[in-house]
Amino acid sequence: MKTIFVGPQGIRAGWRFAIFVILLFGFSKLSFWILTVAFHYQEHDGWFPTDFLLDGALSFGAALLAAWIMSKVERRAFLEYGLPLRAMFRRHFWQGILWGFGASLVMIILLRLFGAASFNGVALHGQALVTSALLWAAAFLLLGFAEEFAYRGYSQATLLGGMGFWPAAVLLSAIFGAVHYFFKPMENWMDGLSVGLFGLFWCFTLWRTGTLWFAIGFHAMSDYADMVLFAQPNTGNNGQSLTGHLLNVSYHGPDWLTGGPRGTEASAFEFVILAVLFIAFARAYPKHAATPGAGD
């Protein structure tokens, strides 16, 4: 029975991943319980930047704490999980920001060319515009940190040692897409598939750059551009644009084109853009970098 749980390098990768998930879930639930019970915090109806900031901070904090505990169990350096301090907010992060914005911009241009998006001016002005832009930027940055570290930080570095990089990447990306598909209302297969493929693309950026910084920048900016700048709807917000978006953009046409209430993650154009992203990134970053956890 011992060989089921323990291998030559200690607890097997699959069990370590399972323990991490349990710790992550437990710490997240505990932190939200403390926030609501001890501090009487109540979330707004719909998506607001303050709620997102708290959610992102608590989720990222829970992931960091769970990974730190596992690093002590595994006797590994915490920085092996994809966030080396030497690369913090350096070149790869800002390149990810540019690529994420570019992907969102290409999508809105395609929809405009096909008559599926119309611009109707600026939604906010003055201080309200600046405040909303900055709060949402911080909120989506924290979301990028939380999701990338949970799905492609500790998890990828750990499963890599048990099954190899790409099998682990496919598994975690499938889980990433499935979580969106099964736990958000009004989802469809196109949305779940595109989210999973984005997860695989971010794994590819980890493979080629050796860190999560490009993926974090891309993830944060693409969500920000989609939902804050271009006012796309999201099923997590009842199929509506979020509060405090910056531009008034209306979307019209069939759901397969615009994504409908799911936003452009469920647009057929998203698969074209994803194919271009894979090809362009492979050309821009032709060499495999040392991947976190590869020494297992």
Side-chain angles (χ1 to χ4, degrees):
M1 290 293 294
K2 181 180 179 180
T3 58
I4 296 175
F5 299 98
V6 180
Q9 299 176 347
I11 302 172
R12 294 190 181 277
W15 293 112
R16 283 183 278 134
F17 170 65
I19 295 170
F20 170 76
V21 171
I22 293 170
L23 289 174
L24 173 61
F25 184 79
F27 290 144
S28 295
K29 290 296 183 182
L30 177 62
S31 61
F32 283 107
W33 180 83
I34 292 173
L35 186 67
T36 55
V37 175
F39 295 95
H40 307 290
Y41 184 82
Q42 296 293 326
E43 290 188 341
H44 300 85
D45 291 329
W47 282 0
F48 279 74
T50 50
D51 295 332
F52 250 65
L53 276 166
L54 283 171
D55 183 80
L58 293 176
S59 297
F60 185 43
L64 288 175
L65 180 57
W68 179 79
I69 291 173
M70 294 308 299
S71 74
K72 299 305 178 183
V73 172
E74 300 168 359
R75 298 180 181 178
R76 296 173 66 184
F78 183 81
L79 297 181
E80 289 186 26
Y81 302 142
L83 291 177
L85 296 179
R86 69 181 186 279
M88 182 171 58
F89 299 118
R90 302 286 296 271
R91 175 171 58 96
H92 285 148
F93 173 78
W94 295 108
Q95 289 171 344
I97 291 283
L98 289 175
W99 281 62
F101 178 74
S104 296
L105 183 62
V106 168
M107 172 63 78
I108 203 72
I109 290 173
L110 287 172
L111 291 177
R112 183 71 182 88
L113 289 174
F114 278 76
S118 301
F119 291 85
N120 305 299
V122 180
L124 299 173
H125 300 274
Q127 184 178 352
L129 186 149
V130 174
T131 301
S132 185
L134 292 177
L135 284 175
W136 276 119
F140 278 108
L141 180 59
L142 282 171
L143 176 68
F145 269 107
E147 292 196 343
E148 290 306 311
F149 188 74
Y151 283 96
R152 283 162 286 277
Y154 175 85
S155 300
Q156 180 70 31
T158 296
L159 291 181
L160 180 156
M163 60 194 307
F165 183 91
W166 286 110
V170 170
L171 174 62
L172 291 170
S173 299
I175 294 173
F176 187 57
V179 167
H180 283 72
Y181 179 78
F182 289 108
F183 293 97
K184 290 177 68 178
M186 297 183 283
E187 294 295 276
N188 65 8
W189 69 267
M190 291 177 69
D191 199 351
L193 179 58
S194 74
V195 168
L197 288 174
F198 265 112
L200 195 62
F201 172 71
W202 291 324
C203 287
F204 185 40
T205 69
L206 172 63
W207 173 262
R208 287 291 173 91
T209 66
T211 78
L212 291 171
W213 288 108
F214 185 101
I216 290 169
F218 189 114
H219 193 155
M221 176 50 79
S222 62
D223 281 352
Y224 181 85
D226 287 347
M227 287 182 273
V228 181
L229 185 58
F230 299 130
Q232 291 182 16
N234 192 283
T235 57
N237 193 40
N238 299 314
Q240 304 296 319
S241 300
L242 51 75
T243 301
H245 60 267
L246 305 185
L247 297 176
N248 284 321
V249 184
S250 58
Y251 298 89
H252 32 83
D255 283 4
W256 67 265
L257 185 62
T258 66
R262 291 160 288 276
T264 55
E265 285 179 347
S267 168
F269 283 145
E270 199 73 274
F271 299 100
V272 177
I273 292 172
L274 276 161
V276 172
L277 284 172
F278 273 100
I279 295 169
F281 192 84
R283 290 179 177 271
Y285 296 82
K287 295 182 180 180
H288 162 52
T291 308
D296 281 6

